[in-house]
Every structure is written in C-alpha cells, then in structure tokens.
Amino acid sequence: MQESDRLTRLINELLLLSRFDKAGSNELEVEKTEMNELIQQVATSMGAKAKDKGIEIMFREDEAKSEDKLLTKVHANVNPMLMSHAIANLVDNAIKYSGSPSLIELKLKHTTSEIVIRIRDQGIGIAGDELERVQERFYRAKNVSTANGSGRCKRTNTL
C-alpha cells in the first residue's frame, strides 16, 4: 500500500511537471492571489504531517511588527495551484529531512516589485559542493538516503 501511494505521488508529480513544461510559463493561467492566505493554507494542510513527526510549522510575514495582529494583504499574479504545490513540496521536504522536535518557519517578505517566500528548517541540509545542483530536476543529494523522494531538499529554500 505504501509503495502504491509513493508511485501515485510520483506519477502525479510527473504529470504536473509535464503540464508545466508543455504550457510554458507564458501560457500558464494566472490570477490575482492573496499570498499570505495561500501560504497559510499550505502550512495548515501540512500541519498534521508535521505534528505527527514532532515538528511545528510557523508562518509569519517577515516585516510584521509584534503589535500587528493581522498580516498585510499581499497579492501576486500566480497560478495558485502550482504555487501551492511548489510551497507544499518544499515544506514536505523540510518535514521529511528534519528531526523531532524542530521548527519549520515560513516567511513572506515583499516590496513593491517582488515577493520572497522563505522556508527554513532544522533538517540535514545539503553540502555546499552540491548546492549548485539543487535546481536540477530529480537531483537528490548524497545525504538523503534516509528518506524517500524524487527531488530537492535544502536547509533554506526561497521561491
């Protein structure tokens, strides 16, 4: 059953990559998306998996002042499904490669011209000499033999 689930996830990831490659970045359907809400939804959906492993997921806006109770609404023109999937993949890797107890931090930083999403974990990381290969499709670092997967892991990931 576990192998079947793993293969199903792998097939779904390959289909998603294929759709993305076929459409090209200029042809993707994008819409104005509230990024804090999207990131919070991903963090919430991954929360149970993280909790089962003794990991806390914390999301906050990078420049949020302590007296601010609400996050600033930050909008971007993205494909919400693909962006959610990208963030969830990075958080899933952070969960997979982190020990217990630990913390995964999701931060959103924005200016008038860009949005940066940072995902920081306390996992095994990638050796410096392998960092240049992180963007290669299906690349797996040498130190990841302890977990199943088909792609990337990194101590701090930025979208």
Side-chain angles (χ1 to χ4, degrees):
M1 185 67 123
Q2 288 176 332
E3 185 63 13
S4 176
D5 289 344
R6 185 187 74 77
L7 289 172
T8 300
R9 282 192 307 273
L10 180 61
I11 289 167
N12 287 335
E13 287 180 11
L14 289 171
L15 288 170
L16 184 64
L17 284 171
S18 177
R19 279 189 303 227
F20 180 73
D21 287 345
K22 185 178 178 183
S25 60
N26 294 335
E27 298 175 29
L28 288 176
E29 293 180 25
V30 298
E31 59 187 70
K32 187 176 180 180
T33 304
E34 208 292 298
M35 296 303 293
N36 283 312
E37 183 178 306
L38 184 136
I39 296 167
Q40 186 63 56
Q41 287 173 352
V42 171
T44 300
S45 72
M46 302 295 288
K49 183 175 185 176
K51 187 177 181 181
D52 287 347
K53 197 171 172 189
I55 298 171
E56 178 185 358
I57 298 177
M58 181 177 77
F59 169 61
R60 67 182 173 91
E61 197 171 354
D62 204 30
E63 288 107 12
K65 298 179 177 106
S66 59
E67 64 270 8
D68 290 343
K69 298 292 183 207
L70 300 173
L71 295 172
T72 306
K73 289 194 180 252
V74 178
H75 293 91
N77 290 322
V78 298
N79 180 299
M81 193 250 330
L82 288 176
M83 182 59 73
S84 293
H85 187 78
I87 295 167
N89 185 49
L90 293 171
V91 173
D92 187 56
N93 282 344
I95 294 168
K96 192 183 301 182
Y97 297 108
S98 294
S100 173
S102 62
L103 173 68
I104 298 171
E105 292 179 282
L106 287 80
K107 292 184 182 179
L108 183 133
K109 182 178 182 175
H110 60 92
T111 66
T112 56
S113 61
E114 73 177 0
I115 296 172
V116 177
I117 301 166
R118 292 185 188 258
I119 301 169
R120 180 176 298 254
D121 64 59
Q122 299 168 330
I124 62 175
I126 294 179
D129 62 333
E130 294 184 274
L131 285 176
E132 63 192 36
R133 300 194 60 200
V134 167
Q135 297 300 319
E136 291 178 25
R137 192 171 285 175
F138 304 115
Y139 176 73
R140 287 178 51 92
K142 293 173 191 160
N143 64 346
V144 298
S145 60
T146 60
N148 294 326
S150 60
R152 306 169 181 144
C153 73
K154 187 177 174 187
R155 179 157 282 155
T156 301
N157 293 292
T158 303
L159 288 177

